[in-house]
Amino acid sequence: MKRGDVSELAGSVGVGAWTAFTVLAVNAVGGDGGPLWGDRSLLTWSLHHRPSMLSALARGVTATGTGALPYLLVTLAGALVGRTARQRLTVAALGLACLTGGQALRYGLMEALHRARPPRVDWATAASGWSFPSGHTTTAALTAGLLVIALTLRAPRGGTALRTAVGCWGALVGLTRVYLGVHWFSDVVAGWLFAAGWLGLCLCVAAHWLPAAFLAPPAEPRTPEEHAPQDPGRGGRSRPA
């Protein structure tokens, strides 16, 4: 895709996601901050489907959505995109700025909206702070999105399975927050929408301002048939019909 097309598509996705996030936020905190459609039923389902092994697995998955791991993965994404040491450092710094800026904005919104979490008696793991949007969900979704973008730039015609696995990880972290009872499902949806909106904005800016060398996929090597040497005895003349 051309630079303008990427910028326009990313901007459109960002605007759509921010619009949906705003609508969800108004409904989530406009009244008493209570559960929305399906929130209560999903929490009830999780309470009745928590064997110890699955709960431990969910806690392990949910832990990957916070701490140092997301920042290490974003740094790896920058290393995948860049072709020189300078490009790798630049792209890694931009990715970390996107993740850090998104975290700061998400935290500010969370403090401003101050939606309460589900009842503490239903929790299967530790949690702190307000509920909307989900912090683990937002962090994992932002990290997964940056990795998918990096993998797409690195190998636009391959790596589908790896991109799918990364996207599933980002979604699964959010779902574990509902399963463990520390977030309403609408908090998780808000985290996904926030991440999509912020990534759309960041990619729109990057596509508009970054040099084309950062955004173009690596050139594919030519096959032997494409650069076969000419017959020196013919002096470069074409073969007769």
Side-chain angles (χ1 to χ4, degrees):
M1 296 180 67
K2 296 180 180 180
R3 178 196 298 265
D5 295 336
V6 172
S7 180
E8 182 178 354
L9 177 60
S12 299
V13 170
V15 170
W18 282 124
T19 302
F21 176 86
T22 302
V23 172
L24 183 58
V26 169
N27 283 276
V29 302
D32 58 357
L36 297 181
W37 330 279
D39 283 347
R40 181 72 68 183
S41 60
L42 286 172
L43 177 60
T44 301
W45 181 90
S46 72
L47 290 173
H48 292 88
H49 296 82
R50 281 187 192 165
S52 57
M53 185 173 66
L54 281 180
S55 296
L57 179 61
R59 283 190 289 270
V61 173
T62 207
T64 63
T66 189
L69 181 61
Y71 294 90
L72 291 175
L73 291 175
V74 170
T75 303
L76 174 62
L80 287 174
V81 173
R83 302 189 188 93
T84 65
R86 182 176 181 180
Q87 285 186 355
R88 294 187 186 101
L89 287 174
T90 300
V91 178
L94 291 174
L96 291 172
C98 175
L99 180 57
T100 304
Q103 293 282 54
L105 179 58
R106 188 269 310 168
Y107 184 81
L109 287 171
M110 184 181 68
E111 289 294 321
L113 298 174
H114 55 267
R115 187 191 195 189
R117 293 179 182 271
R120 186 179 293 269
V121 69
D122 297 332
W123 295 6
T125 190
S128 61
W130 299 105
S131 188
F132 188 97
S134 167
H136 284 66
T137 301
T138 304
T139 304
L142 285 173
T143 303
L146 289 169
L147 275 170
V148 168
I149 292 171
L151 290 169
T152 301
L153 290 174
R154 181 68 175 178
R157 297 183 182 179
T160 301
L162 184 55
R163 288 195 294 268
T164 301
V166 169
C168 289
W169 165 75
L172 190 58
V173 170
L175 294 176
T176 60
R177 305 305 286 169
V178 180
Y179 181 76
L180 295 170
V182 292
H183 277 289
W184 302 112
F185 181 62
S186 52
D187 298 330
V188 171
V189 174
W192 290 334
L193 291 173
F194 178 94
W198 182 249
L199 281 173
L201 175 62
C202 292
L203 185 56
C204 179
V205 173
H208 186 74
W209 292 105
L210 278 179
F214 285 89
L215 303 174
E220 296 183 357
R222 293 183 177 181
T223 60
E225 291 78 4
E226 291 177 333
H227 52 80
Q230 293 181 339
D231 186 352
R234 295 186 176 275
R237 292 177 296 176
S238 60
R239 182 179 298 177

